[in-house]
Amino acid sequence: MIPAASPHRWAEQGAGTLVGMTIGPPAAVDTEMMDAALEQARASLDTGGVPVGAVLASGANIIAAGHNERVQRGDPVAHGEIACLRNAGRQPSYRGLTLYTTLSPCQMCTGAILLFQIPRVVVGEAETFQGDLGFLAGQGVEVVVLGDDRCVSVMREFQERYPEVWSEDIGGR
């Protein structure tokens, strides 16, 4: 079960970023889809990669999944969300779809979300990397932050095991 995020804790960490965002208990489908995204993140960590997993879904139907492959492929743009979108292939429309990601999206992934007009993004955690969720929400995207301790834990493990890789990625910015 995903623990409910503390709105007070988030407000202290991300003051001013709550407009247009939901923080708190997830819907059942959100829990199920985040479980799938977390499996992807762990698959990346198991091969020495950055543990960010993503799932693109329509309700409870998974369209595609992917994980960060920067290290594995030597590809600087193979972030988890991008890998997931690549695995989804061409879609006539992203209306009604939700992108689940274990970590707050970076600027590049935020750009892809906006480019494809993905209307809803569910974020596992925004503690180890906050991204710019306020910007995403300000562009009309529904953003749900779960505050999932499992997502925080897998990223903290990575940061401790591979600090040099984290530093060369978004952690060094």
PDB file of all heavy atoms in Angstrom, residues 72-97:
ATOM      1  N   GLN A  72      22.607   2.034 -19.122  1.00  0.00           N
ATOM      2  CA  GLN A  72      22.617   0.786 -19.877  1.00  0.00           C
ATOM      3  C   GLN A  72      22.868   1.019 -21.366  1.00  0.00           C
ATOM      4  O   GLN A  72      23.568   0.231 -22.007  1.00  0.00           O
ATOM      5  CB  GLN A  72      21.291   0.038 -19.686  1.00  0.00           C
ATOM      6  CG  GLN A  72      21.002  -0.363 -18.260  1.00  0.00           C
ATOM      7  CD  GLN A  72      20.222   0.695 -17.471  1.00  0.00           C
ATOM      8  OE1 GLN A  72      20.373   1.887 -17.673  1.00  0.00           O
ATOM      9  NE2 GLN A  72      19.383   0.230 -16.550  1.00  0.00           N
ATOM     10  N   ARG A  73      22.304   2.067 -21.941  1.00  0.00           N
ATOM     11  CA  ARG A  73      22.443   2.341 -23.372  1.00  0.00           C
ATOM     12  C   ARG A  73      23.494   3.402 -23.695  1.00  0.00           C
ATOM     13  O   ARG A  73      23.771   3.641 -24.868  1.00  0.00           O
ATOM     14  CB  ARG A  73      21.104   2.808 -23.954  1.00  0.00           C
ATOM     15  CG  ARG A  73      20.037   1.750 -23.978  1.00  0.00           C
ATOM     16  CD  ARG A  73      18.742   2.357 -24.551  1.00  0.00           C
ATOM     17  NE  ARG A  73      17.702   1.380 -24.654  1.00  0.00           N
ATOM     18  CZ  ARG A  73      17.376   0.764 -25.782  1.00  0.00           C
ATOM     19  NH1 ARG A  73      18.011   1.037 -26.893  1.00  0.00           N
ATOM     20  NH2 ARG A  73      16.405  -0.119 -25.789  1.00  0.00           N
ATOM     21  N   GLY A  74      23.975   4.097 -22.663  1.00  0.00           N
ATOM     22  CA  GLY A  74      24.882   5.215 -22.908  1.00  0.00           C
ATOM     23  C   GLY A  74      24.167   6.342 -23.633  1.00  0.00           C
ATOM     24  O   GLY A  74      24.763   7.095 -24.398  1.00  0.00           O
ATOM     25  N   ASP A  75      22.879   6.474 -23.390  1.00  0.00           N
ATOM     26  CA  ASP A  75      22.030   7.432 -24.086  1.00  0.00           C
ATOM     27  C   ASP A  75      21.565   8.493 -23.094  1.00  0.00           C
ATOM     28  O   ASP A  75      20.777   8.206 -22.193  1.00  0.00           O
ATOM     29  CB  ASP A  75      20.827   6.679 -24.672  1.00  0.00           C
ATOM     30  CG  ASP A  75      19.857   7.579 -25.424  1.00  0.00           C
ATOM     31  OD1 ASP A  75      19.963   8.816 -25.344  1.00  0.00           O
ATOM     32  OD2 ASP A  75      18.964   7.022 -26.094  1.00  0.00           O
ATOM     33  N   PRO A  76      22.020   9.726 -23.241  1.00  0.00           N
ATOM     34  CA  PRO A  76      21.703  10.762 -22.262  1.00  0.00           C
ATOM     35  C   PRO A  76      20.231  11.167 -22.192  1.00  0.00           C
ATOM     36  O   PRO A  76      19.821  11.782 -21.219  1.00  0.00           O
ATOM     37  CB  PRO A  76      22.578  11.949 -22.683  1.00  0.00           C
ATOM     38  CG  PRO A  76      22.815  11.742 -24.132  1.00  0.00           C
ATOM     39  CD  PRO A  76      22.852  10.243 -24.329  1.00  0.00           C
ATOM     40  N   VAL A  77      19.449  10.825 -23.203  1.00  0.00           N
ATOM     41  CA  VAL A  77      18.029  11.202 -23.176  1.00  0.00           C
ATOM     42  C   VAL A  77      17.102  10.013 -22.895  1.00  0.00           C
ATOM     43  O   VAL A  77      15.880  10.145 -22.987  1.00  0.00           O
ATOM     44  CB  VAL A  77      17.594  11.941 -24.468  1.00  0.00           C
ATOM     45  CG1 VAL A  77      18.354  13.243 -24.616  1.00  0.00           C
ATOM     46  CG2 VAL A  77      17.739  11.058 -25.691  1.00  0.00           C
ATOM     47  N   ALA A  78      17.648   8.882 -22.510  1.00  0.00           N
ATOM     48  CA  ALA A  78      16.829   7.691 -22.254  1.00  0.00           C
ATOM     49  C   ALA A  78      16.299   7.691 -20.814  1.00  0.00           C
ATOM     50  O   ALA A  78      16.502   6.763 -20.054  1.00  0.00           O
ATOM     51  CB  ALA A  78      17.628   6.426 -22.544  1.00  0.00           C
ATOM     52  N   HIS A  79      15.588   8.758 -20.468  1.00  0.00           N
ATOM     53  CA  HIS A  79      14.958   8.836 -19.152  1.00  0.00           C
ATOM     54  C   HIS A  79      13.766   7.881 -19.108  1.00  0.00           C
ATOM     55  O   HIS A  79      13.280   7.436 -20.152  1.00  0.00           O
ATOM     56  CB  HIS A  79      14.503  10.263 -18.868  1.00  0.00           C
ATOM     57  CG  HIS A  79      15.635  11.184 -18.553  1.00  0.00           C
ATOM     58  ND1 HIS A  79      15.446  12.360 -17.864  1.00  0.00           N
ATOM     59  CD2 HIS A  79      16.970  11.116 -18.813  1.00  0.00           C
ATOM     60  CE1 HIS A  79      16.612  12.970 -17.710  1.00  0.00           C
ATOM     61  NE2 HIS A  79      17.546  12.232 -18.291  1.00  0.00           N
ATOM     62  N   GLY A  80      13.285   7.581 -17.915  1.00  0.00           N
ATOM     63  CA  GLY A  80      12.204   6.610 -17.749  1.00  0.00           C
ATOM     64  C   GLY A  80      10.939   6.966 -18.511  1.00  0.00           C
ATOM     65  O   GLY A  80      10.338   6.124 -19.182  1.00  0.00           O
ATOM     66  N   GLU A  81      10.534   8.224 -18.424  1.00  0.00           N
ATOM     67  CA  GLU A  81       9.314   8.651 -19.107  1.00  0.00           C
ATOM     68  C   GLU A  81       9.485   8.580 -20.621  1.00  0.00           C
ATOM     69  O   GLU A  81       8.569   8.166 -21.342  1.00  0.00           O
ATOM     70  CB  GLU A  81       8.946  10.088 -18.695  1.00  0.00           C
ATOM     71  CG  GLU A  81       8.659  10.254 -17.218  1.00  0.00           C
ATOM     72  CD  GLU A  81       9.888  10.594 -16.365  1.00  0.00           C
ATOM     73  OE1 GLU A  81      11.033  10.313 -16.792  1.00  0.00           O
ATOM     74  OE2 GLU A  81       9.696  11.141 -15.265  1.00  0.00           O
ATOM     75  N   ILE A  82      10.672   8.968 -21.098  1.00  0.00           N
ATOM     76  CA  ILE A  82      10.948   8.926 -22.542  1.00  0.00           C
ATOM     77  C   ILE A  82      10.967   7.487 -23.036  1.00  0.00           C
ATOM     78  O   ILE A  82      10.408   7.166 -24.093  1.00  0.00           O
ATOM     79  CB  ILE A  82      12.284   9.643 -22.862  1.00  0.00           C
ATOM     80  CG1 ILE A  82      12.248  11.114 -22.411  1.00  0.00           C
ATOM     81  CG2 ILE A  82      12.650   9.512 -24.334  1.00  0.00           C
ATOM     82  CD1 ILE A  82      11.181  11.972 -23.053  1.00  0.00           C
ATOM     83  N   ALA A  83      11.589   6.579 -22.271  1.00  0.00           N
ATOM     84  CA  ALA A  83      11.609   5.160 -22.649  1.00  0.00           C
ATOM     85  C   ALA A  83      10.193   4.606 -22.719  1.00  0.00           C
ATOM     86  O   ALA A  83       9.848   3.845 -23.637  1.00  0.00           O
ATOM     87  CB  ALA A  83      12.452   4.360 -21.659  1.00  0.00           C
ATOM     88  N   CYS A  84       9.364   4.986 -21.769  1.00  0.00           N
ATOM     89  CA  CYS A  84       7.971   4.530 -21.763  1.00  0.00           C
ATOM     90  C   CYS A  84       7.231   5.033 -23.001  1.00  0.00           C
ATOM     91  O   CYS A  84       6.535   4.256 -23.670  1.00  0.00           O
ATOM     92  CB  CYS A  84       7.291   5.014 -20.481  1.00  0.00           C
ATOM     93  SG  CYS A  84       5.547   4.569 -20.361  1.00  0.00           S
ATOM     94  N   LEU A  85       7.372   6.310 -23.309  1.00  0.00           N
ATOM     95  CA  LEU A  85       6.704   6.872 -24.487  1.00  0.00           C
ATOM     96  C   LEU A  85       7.220   6.231 -25.764  1.00  0.00           C
ATOM     97  O   LEU A  85       6.448   5.946 -26.688  1.00  0.00           O
ATOM     98  CB  LEU A  85       6.878   8.390 -24.524  1.00  0.00           C
ATOM     99  CG  LEU A  85       6.159   9.149 -23.407  1.00  0.00           C
ATOM    100  CD1 LEU A  85       6.564  10.615 -23.395  1.00  0.00           C
ATOM    101  CD2 LEU A  85       4.649   9.003 -23.536  1.00  0.00           C
ATOM    102  N   ARG A  86       8.512   5.968 -25.830  1.00  0.00           N
ATOM    103  CA  ARG A  86       9.090   5.283 -26.999  1.00  0.00           C
ATOM    104  C   ARG A  86       8.473   3.895 -27.140  1.00  0.00           C
ATOM    105  O   ARG A  86       8.112   3.459 -28.243  1.00  0.00           O
ATOM    106  CB  ARG A  86      10.609   5.180 -26.848  1.00  0.00           C
ATOM    107  CG  ARG A  86      11.285   4.548 -28.055  1.00  0.00           C
ATOM    108  CD  ARG A  86      12.788   4.453 -27.898  1.00  0.00           C
ATOM    109  NE  ARG A  86      13.405   5.760 -27.784  1.00  0.00           N
ATOM    110  CZ  ARG A  86      14.154   6.159 -26.752  1.00  0.00           C
ATOM    111  NH1 ARG A  86      14.397   5.344 -25.747  1.00  0.00           N
ATOM    112  NH2 ARG A  86      14.668   7.354 -26.716  1.00  0.00           N
ATOM    113  N   ASN A  87       8.335   3.179 -26.007  1.00  0.00           N
ATOM    114  CA  ASN A  87       7.747   1.838 -26.037  1.00  0.00           C
ATOM    115  C   ASN A  87       6.272   1.855 -26.414  1.00  0.00           C
ATOM    116  O   ASN A  87       5.756   0.862 -26.937  1.00  0.00           O
ATOM    117  CB  ASN A  87       7.937   1.139 -24.691  1.00  0.00           C
ATOM    118  CG  ASN A  87       9.396   0.808 -24.421  1.00  0.00           C
ATOM    119  OD1 ASN A  87      10.211   0.736 -25.340  1.00  0.00           O
ATOM    120  ND2 ASN A  87       9.730   0.625 -23.155  1.00  0.00           N
ATOM    121  N   ALA A  88       5.597   2.964 -26.169  1.00  0.00           N
ATOM    122  CA  ALA A  88       4.173   3.087 -26.526  1.00  0.00           C
ATOM    123  C   ALA A  88       3.989   3.224 -28.036  1.00  0.00           C
ATOM    124  O   ALA A  88       2.923   2.924 -28.568  1.00  0.00           O
ATOM    125  CB  ALA A  88       3.548   4.292 -25.819  1.00  0.00           C
ATOM    126  N   GLY A  89       5.021   3.662 -28.725  1.00  0.00           N
ATOM    127  CA  GLY A  89       4.894   3.868 -30.164  1.00  0.00           C
ATOM    128  C   GLY A  89       3.977   5.044 -30.454  1.00  0.00           C
ATOM    129  O   GLY A  89       3.575   5.785 -29.556  1.00  0.00           O
ATOM    130  N   ARG A  90       3.635   5.174 -31.710  1.00  0.00           N
ATOM    131  CA  ARG A  90       2.764   6.276 -32.112  1.00  0.00           C
ATOM    132  C   ARG A  90       1.366   6.059 -31.564  1.00  0.00           C
ATOM    133  O   ARG A  90       0.815   4.973 -31.671  1.00  0.00           O
ATOM    134  CB  ARG A  90       2.727   6.375 -33.628  1.00  0.00           C
ATOM    135  CG  ARG A  90       4.079   6.772 -34.197  1.00  0.00           C
ATOM    136  CD  ARG A  90       4.075   6.793 -35.700  1.00  0.00           C
ATOM    137  NE  ARG A  90       3.122   7.777 -36.190  1.00  0.00           N
ATOM    138  CZ  ARG A  90       2.598   7.755 -37.398  1.00  0.00           C
ATOM    139  NH1 ARG A  90       2.921   6.804 -38.237  1.00  0.00           N
ATOM    140  NH2 ARG A  90       1.750   8.682 -37.766  1.00  0.00           N
ATOM    141  N   GLN A  91       0.815   7.114 -31.004  1.00  0.00           N
ATOM    142  CA  GLN A  91      -0.559   7.096 -30.493  1.00  0.00           C
ATOM    143  C   GLN A  91      -1.342   8.177 -31.234  1.00  0.00           C
ATOM    144  O   GLN A  91      -0.844   9.292 -31.389  1.00  0.00           O
ATOM    145  CB  GLN A  91      -0.593   7.387 -28.989  1.00  0.00           C
ATOM    146  CG  GLN A  91       0.155   6.399 -28.127  1.00  0.00           C
ATOM    147  CD  GLN A  91      -0.508   5.036 -28.122  1.00  0.00           C
ATOM    148  OE1 GLN A  91      -1.711   4.922 -27.961  1.00  0.00           O
ATOM    149  NE2 GLN A  91       0.292   3.999 -28.312  1.00  0.00           N
ATOM    150  N   PRO A  92      -2.545   7.864 -31.683  1.00  0.00           N
ATOM    151  CA  PRO A  92      -3.325   8.907 -32.359  1.00  0.00           C
ATOM    152  C   PRO A  92      -3.689  10.053 -31.415  1.00  0.00           C
ATOM    153  O   PRO A  92      -3.847  11.188 -31.841  1.00  0.00           O
ATOM    154  CB  PRO A  92      -4.576   8.178 -32.855  1.00  0.00           C
ATOM    155  CG  PRO A  92      -4.629   6.903 -32.081  1.00  0.00           C
ATOM    156  CD  PRO A  92      -3.238   6.590 -31.635  1.00  0.00           C
ATOM    157  N   SER A  93      -3.797   9.747 -30.137  1.00  0.00           N
ATOM    158  CA  SER A  93      -4.129  10.755 -29.135  1.00  0.00           C
ATOM    159  C   SER A  93      -3.732  10.231 -27.755  1.00  0.00           C
ATOM    160  O   SER A  93      -3.736   9.020 -27.525  1.00  0.00           O
ATOM    161  CB  SER A  93      -5.637  11.046 -29.147  1.00  0.00           C
ATOM    162  OG  SER A  93      -5.986  11.891 -28.066  1.00  0.00           O
ATOM    163  N   TYR A  94      -3.411  11.139 -26.874  1.00  0.00           N
ATOM    164  CA  TYR A  94      -3.080  10.777 -25.493  1.00  0.00           C
ATOM    165  C   TYR A  94      -4.200  11.182 -24.551  1.00  0.00           C
ATOM    166  O   TYR A  94      -4.060  11.068 -23.343  1.00  0.00           O
ATOM    167  CB  TYR A  94      -1.746  11.419 -25.085  1.00  0.00           C
ATOM    168  CG  TYR A  94      -0.574  10.832 -25.841  1.00  0.00           C
ATOM    169  CD1 TYR A  94      -0.236  11.282 -27.107  1.00  0.00           C
ATOM    170  CD2 TYR A  94       0.166   9.799 -25.288  1.00  0.00           C
ATOM    171  CE1 TYR A  94       0.819  10.720 -27.799  1.00  0.00           C
ATOM    172  CE2 TYR A  94       1.224   9.227 -25.982  1.00  0.00           C
ATOM    173  CZ  TYR A  94       1.542   9.695 -27.241  1.00  0.00           C
ATOM    174  OH  TYR A  94       2.587   9.129 -27.936  1.00  0.00           O
ATOM    175  N   ARG A  95      -5.322  11.647 -25.118  1.00  0.00           N
ATOM    176  CA  ARG A  95      -6.476  12.011 -24.305  1.00  0.00           C
ATOM    177  C   ARG A  95      -6.945  10.815 -23.495  1.00  0.00           C
ATOM    178  O   ARG A  95      -7.013   9.705 -24.001  1.00  0.00           O
ATOM    179  CB  ARG A  95      -7.635  12.459 -25.197  1.00  0.00           C
ATOM    180  CG  ARG A  95      -7.778  13.941 -25.209  1.00  0.00           C
ATOM    181  CD  ARG A  95      -8.941  14.365 -26.046  1.00  0.00           C
ATOM    182  NE  ARG A  95      -8.341  15.357 -26.940  1.00  0.00           N
ATOM    183  CZ  ARG A  95      -8.693  15.569 -28.168  1.00  0.00           C
ATOM    184  NH1 ARG A  95      -9.665  14.897 -28.705  1.00  0.00           N
ATOM    185  NH2 ARG A  95      -8.089  16.467 -28.871  1.00  0.00           N
ATOM    186  N   GLY A  96      -7.232  11.047 -22.236  1.00  0.00           N
ATOM    187  CA  GLY A  96      -7.717   9.969 -21.384  1.00  0.00           C
ATOM    188  C   GLY A  96      -6.613   9.087 -20.831  1.00  0.00           C
ATOM    189  O   GLY A  96      -6.891   8.134 -20.107  1.00  0.00           O
ATOM    190  N   LEU A  97      -5.355   9.381 -21.157  1.00  0.00           N
ATOM    191  CA  LEU A  97      -4.248   8.568 -20.669  1.00  0.00           C
ATOM    192  C   LEU A  97      -3.599   9.226 -19.448  1.00  0.00           C
ATOM    193  O   LEU A  97      -3.683  10.440 -19.262  1.00  0.00           O
ATOM    194  CB  LEU A  97      -3.197   8.368 -21.756  1.00  0.00           C
ATOM    195  CG  LEU A  97      -3.669   7.702 -23.049  1.00  0.00           C
ATOM    196  CD1 LEU A  97      -2.495   7.476 -23.991  1.00  0.00           C
ATOM    197  CD2 LEU A  97      -4.400   6.412 -22.762  1.00  0.00           C
TER     198      LEU A  97
END
